[in-house]
């Protein structure tokens, strides 16, 4: 009887879902109708609540969290622990869309624990993916490397949407200056895989990322084209989260276009898209996007010269920013989600032990390296000290040698000067003595002929005395000229005769 009741309830559940979709209502609305109209078993009610939490995760994250918490409570009350992994995964994604990354990481860890324990094969890889992407301790490079390693495992599950989401997510992580080539190849791969598996939503989502890529490249016209193209689709399926994100990017594109070409049309377009984004974000409680809208409104009103409104938007931005970041900071200080869970602690403890051992080894090597450096430094200091002493002694020896060379050079100079001046002086002295004798002969001469010859010889001697006197004077003059020119070494060079 109970089995028949379950089968009947399941039939009605599937009927209402199919009927609602056939009438064109969104899946979330049809699930709520099933939850309200049908008498379901507890486990089936958990299934419906979990699906509702999943469908509302990006439309109304707060509502999704409420459905997820109801599903968790009901599953625990009815010992439906196998479903907890999926419920926690849904809560993790909902908190992620609610911009509470710490809480999202905490539920991702719990989802991984329960899905691993109950071997929910398809959910294990995507739970690992959620843990990786929400771990606040991961750097960008660690995240990307881990995602690439996890992609083959994600691709092994039956639901290929997770594989496509992962490729697009990795490509989205590369959306930054200098990494656009990797982003381009991954995003287009995700688009191709979406078409292959007939996933229109994921195809359009990744096409919108092409617009993001052009925005990073500062090709704003192409970015606007792709964002408008995809936003028509997202608006038609009531995907308000991505719709609002595209609106913000459209506003930013027009704002940058206005900066490069200040046409009022561009600024007005930025204002229109920002206002529409604010309205949409408030509807779904998308706080981080509201923060971006307030920042855009501040810039737009400031450019329009409306300082009063600009200050109001700036105050709203600061208030909301403090509210969002303050909440996360308090949770971080409290240690929520940063502590590893006991259920997966064994593996992490091994990693920690290995890290401790590695750190000890690094410390030992560091200490040994420091000691070796100190020894080498001491040896270098001692050798340097000895070298300085030798250099000082060598310098003193060089100074003594220079002094000796100077004294020797001075002696050589004095000798050469004495030699050069002494020669003409000898001639002067000799001819002076001869001239005295000739003068005496003239005075004592007996005949006029003798006196005449003595007088002629005397005149000749006086000419020679005059000549050699001038020669001595010329030597002194040359010495003075070489001194003034700084070429005394030429004067004293024996190869250069003195004239």
């Amino acid at each position: 009887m109970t089995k028949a009741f379950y089968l009947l309830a399941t039939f009605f559940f599937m009927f209402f879902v199919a009927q609602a979709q056939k009438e064109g209502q969104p899946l979330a609305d049809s699930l709520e109708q099933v939850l309200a109209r049908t008498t379901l078993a507890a486990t089936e009610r958990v299934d419906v609540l979990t699906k509702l939490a999943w469908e509302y995760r990006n439309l109304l994250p707060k509502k999704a969290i409420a459905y997820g918490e109801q599903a968790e409570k009901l599953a625990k009350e009815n010992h439906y622990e196998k479903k907890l992994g999926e419920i926690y995964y849904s809560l993790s994604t909902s908190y992620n869309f609610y911009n509470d990354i710490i809480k999202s990481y905490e539920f991702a860890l719990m989802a991984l624990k329960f899905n691993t324990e109950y071997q929910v094969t398809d959910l294990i890889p995507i739970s690992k993916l959620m843990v990786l992407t929400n771990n606040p301790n991961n750097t960008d490079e660690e995240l990307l490397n881990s995602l690439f390693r996890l992609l083959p495992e994600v691709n092994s599950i039956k639901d290929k949407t997770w594989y496509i989401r992962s490729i697009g997510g990795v490509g989205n992580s590369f959306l930054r200056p200098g990494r656009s080539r990797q982003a381009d190849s991954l995003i287009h791969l995700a688009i191709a895989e979406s078409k292959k598996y007939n996933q229109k939503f994921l195809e359009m989502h990744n096409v919108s990322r092409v617009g993001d890529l052009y925005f990073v490249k500062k090709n704003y016209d192409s970015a606007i084209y792709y964002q408008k193209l995809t936003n028509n689709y997202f608006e038609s399926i009531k995907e308000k989260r991505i719709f609002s994100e595209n609106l913000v990017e459209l506003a930013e594109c027009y704002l940058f276009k206005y900066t490069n070409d200040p046409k009022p049309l561009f600024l007005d377009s930025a204002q229109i898209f920002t206002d529409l984004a604010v309205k949409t974000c408030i509807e779904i409680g998308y706080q981080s996007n509201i923060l971006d809208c307030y920042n855009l409104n501040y810039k737009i009103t400031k450019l329009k010269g409306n300082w009063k409104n600009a200050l109001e938007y700036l105050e709203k931005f600061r208030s909301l920013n403090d509210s969002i970041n303050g909440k996360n900071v308090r949770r971080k200080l409290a240690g929520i989600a940063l502590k590893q869970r006991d259920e997966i602690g064994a593996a992490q403890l091994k990693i920690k032990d290995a890290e401790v051992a590695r750190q000890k080894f690094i410390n030992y090597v560091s200490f040994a390296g420091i000691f070796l450096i100190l020894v080498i430094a001491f040896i270098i200091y001692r050798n340097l000290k000895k070298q300085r002493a030798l250099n000082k002694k060598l310098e003193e020896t060089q100074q003594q040698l220079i002094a000796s060379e100077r004294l020797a050079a001075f002696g050589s100079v004095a000798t050469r000067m004495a030699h050069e001046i002494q020669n003409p002086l000898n001639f002067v002295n000799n001819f002076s003595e001869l001239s005295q004798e000739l003068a005496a002969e003239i005075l004592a001469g007996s005949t006029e002929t003798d006196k005449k010859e003595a007088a002629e010889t005397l005149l000749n001697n006086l000419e020679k005395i005059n000549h050699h006197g001038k020669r001595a004077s010329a030597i002194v003059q040359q010495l003075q000229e070489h001194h003034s020119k700084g070429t005394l070494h030429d004067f004293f060079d024996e190869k250069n005769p003195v004239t």
Side-chain angles (χ1 to χ4, degrees):
M1 183 68 180
T2 304
K3 186 176 181 181
F5 174 76
Y6 285 160
L7 289 172
L8 185 62
T10 303
F11 169 77
F12 277 110
F13 166 70
M14 296 303 296
F15 171 78
F16 278 117
V17 170
Q19 185 65 24
Q21 290 178 329
K22 185 177 179 181
E23 293 172 359
Q25 296 176 354
L27 179 58
D29 292 344
S30 66
L31 288 169
E32 287 182 330
Q33 287 182 12
V34 171
L35 191 65
R37 298 176 187 176
T38 309
T39 304
L40 297 174
T43 54
E44 290 173 333
R45 186 170 291 275
V46 171
D47 291 339
V48 176
L49 288 168
T50 305
K51 290 181 184 296
L52 279 167
W54 178 255
E55 292 303 322
Y56 275 115
R57 71 194 186 284
N58 58 340
L59 295 173
L60 295 168
K62 292 178 75 173
K63 195 170 185 177
I65 291 168
Y67 279 128
E69 289 173 346
Q70 290 178 45
E72 177 191 16
K73 181 180 178 182
L74 194 58
K76 288 180 177 179
E77 289 174 353
N78 290 274
H79 306 289
Y80 194 14
E81 284 83 4
K82 184 178 180 180
K83 195 69 175 179
L84 285 174
E86 185 178 348
I87 294 169
Y88 289 140
Y89 180 79
S90 180
L91 282 167
S92 176
T93 56
S94 298
Y95 275 110
N96 186 281
F97 284 121
Y98 195 59
N99 201 40
D100 192 340
I101 302 302
I102 305 301
K103 199 72 175 176
S104 177
Y105 177 54
E106 185 177 32
F107 277 109
L109 288 170
M110 295 168 68
L112 180 58
K113 181 251 180 182
F114 279 93
N115 287 324
T116 303
E117 182 178 344
Y118 289 96
Q119 287 299 300
V120 185
T121 310
D122 282 359
L123 290 179
I124 292 174
I126 59 175
S127 297
K128 290 180 180 178
L129 191 65
M130 186 59 77
V131 170
L132 280 174
T133 54
N134 287 291
N135 187 344
N137 297 317
N138 276 344
T139 63
D140 285 347
E141 290 301 322
E142 289 172 342
L143 172 61
L144 293 174
N145 292 335
S146 300
L147 285 172
F148 277 124
R149 288 195 298 270
L150 189 58
L151 279 179
E153 187 176 349
V154 176
N155 191 27
S156 67
I157 64 179
K158 295 178 182 177
D159 188 354
K160 296 302 179 183
T161 59
W162 293 110
Y163 174 61
I164 299 168
R165 289 176 189 274
S166 301
I167 296 172
V170 176
N172 192 59
S173 300
F174 278 115
L175 283 174
R176 65 191 73 175
R179 307 298 291 271
S180 57
R181 184 174 59 83
Q182 296 93 329
D184 196 340
S185 60
L186 286 166
I187 290 170
H188 281 90
L189 175 60
I191 293 172
E193 293 294 306
S194 301
K195 291 178 179 178
K196 178 180 176 182
Y197 293 105
N198 196 27
Q199 296 290 331
K200 184 66 175 178
F201 173 82
L202 294 178
E203 178 189 346
M204 297 306 290
H205 191 187
N206 283 289
V207 169
S208 72
R209 284 172 173 159
V210 174
D212 298 338
L213 182 62
Y214 279 114
F215 181 82
V216 171
K217 293 179 178 180
K218 298 183 179 180
N219 186 341
Y220 302 120
D221 289 330
S222 296
I224 289 169
Y225 169 77
Y226 280 101
Q227 298 300 353
K228 286 184 175 179
L229 174 69
T230 55
N231 246 17
N232 292 333
Y233 169 77
F234 292 126
E235 186 177 18
S236 69
I237 65 168
K238 298 184 180 180
E239 171 50 67
K240 295 185 178 181
R241 176 180 175 274
I242 301 176
F243 178 70
S244 68
E245 290 175 350
N246 288 356
L247 289 172
V248 170
E249 187 154 316
L250 281 167
E252 289 177 339
C253 287
Y254 279 110
L255 191 59
F256 278 110
K257 282 174 69 68
Y258 177 80
T259 304
N260 298 328
D261 183 11
K263 294 180 180 178
L265 175 64
F266 294 151
L267 201 58
D268 292 339
S269 298
Q271 184 71 72
I272 290 169
F273 285 116
T274 303
D275 292 342
L276 184 56
V278 170
K279 180 182 177 181
T280 307
C281 291
I282 291 174
E283 286 179 12
I284 62 174
Y286 196 176
Q287 289 186 309
S288 62
N289 228 29
I290 294 174
L291 195 66
D292 292 336
C293 292
Y294 286 158
N295 189 32
L296 278 170
N297 268 325
Y298 164 69
K299 293 177 181 178
I300 293 168
T301 50
K302 186 173 71 170
L303 287 171
K304 287 184 174 181
N306 191 341
W307 292 101
K308 182 180 178 181
N309 287 350
L311 290 174
E312 289 177 358
Y313 281 119
L314 181 61
E315 186 58 35
K316 287 181 179 180
F317 173 83
R318 287 175 176 172
S319 177
L320 184 58
N321 185 50
D322 291 342
S323 174
I324 293 172
N325 294 329
K327 177 175 62 178
N328 288 335
V329 168
R330 288 193 296 273
R331 282 180 175 152
K332 286 180 182 179
L333 292 175
I336 296 175
L338 293 179
K339 296 178 182 178
Q340 303 299 332
R341 290 293 173 265
D342 294 338
E343 295 81 359
I344 57 173
Q348 292 175 339
L349 284 174
K350 288 181 181 179
I351 294 173
K352 286 184 179 180
D353 290 341
E355 180 64 24
V356 169
R358 187 178 72 86
Q359 191 61 45
K360 285 184 178 179
F361 175 75
I362 292 173
N363 291 340
Y364 291 146
V365 172
S366 300
F367 288 138
I370 292 170
F371 178 74
L372 182 61
I373 290 171
L374 289 174
V375 170
I376 293 172
F378 174 75
I379 294 171
I380 292 172
Y381 172 74
R382 186 181 62 182
N383 291 341
L384 184 61
K385 190 175 181 181
K386 288 182 179 180
Q387 187 64 39
R388 284 179 178 174
L390 289 173
N391 289 342
K392 186 176 181 180
K393 188 174 181 180
L394 178 61
E395 186 178 352
E396 291 174 354
T397 304
Q398 287 176 339
Q399 293 297 330
Q400 291 175 358
L401 182 61
I402 290 169
S404 299
E405 288 178 348
R406 284 178 178 174
L407 288 173
F410 180 75
S412 176
V413 167
T415 302
R416 182 74 190 275
M417 286 179 63
H419 174 73
E420 293 296 337
I421 296 175
Q422 188 63 42
N423 284 336
L425 289 178
N426 286 338
F427 282 107
V428 170
N429 291 334
N430 290 336
F431 283 113
S432 296
E433 291 176 358
L434 290 174
S435 296
Q436 288 177 353
E437 293 175 359
L438 289 171
E441 287 181 7
I442 292 171
L443 293 174
S446 58
T447 64
E448 288 296 326
T449 302
D450 292 335
K451 289 181 180 181
K452 185 178 179 180
E453 289 178 356
E456 289 176 354
T457 304
L458 177 61
L459 288 170
N460 187 39
N461 286 348
L462 290 173
E463 287 178 1
K464 291 184 179 292
I465 290 170
N466 182 52
H467 168 73
H468 288 291
K470 288 181 178 179
R471 183 184 172 198
S473 177
I475 291 171
V476 172
Q477 187 176 357
Q478 287 180 26
L479 181 62
Q480 289 175 339
E481 289 176 357
H482 279 292
H483 177 267
S484 63
K485 294 178 181 179
T487 57
L488 282 174
H489 59 280
D490 292 337
F491 178 81
F492 293 109
D493 189 352
E494 294 182 356
K495 295 180 181 179
N496 298 324
V498 179
T499 58

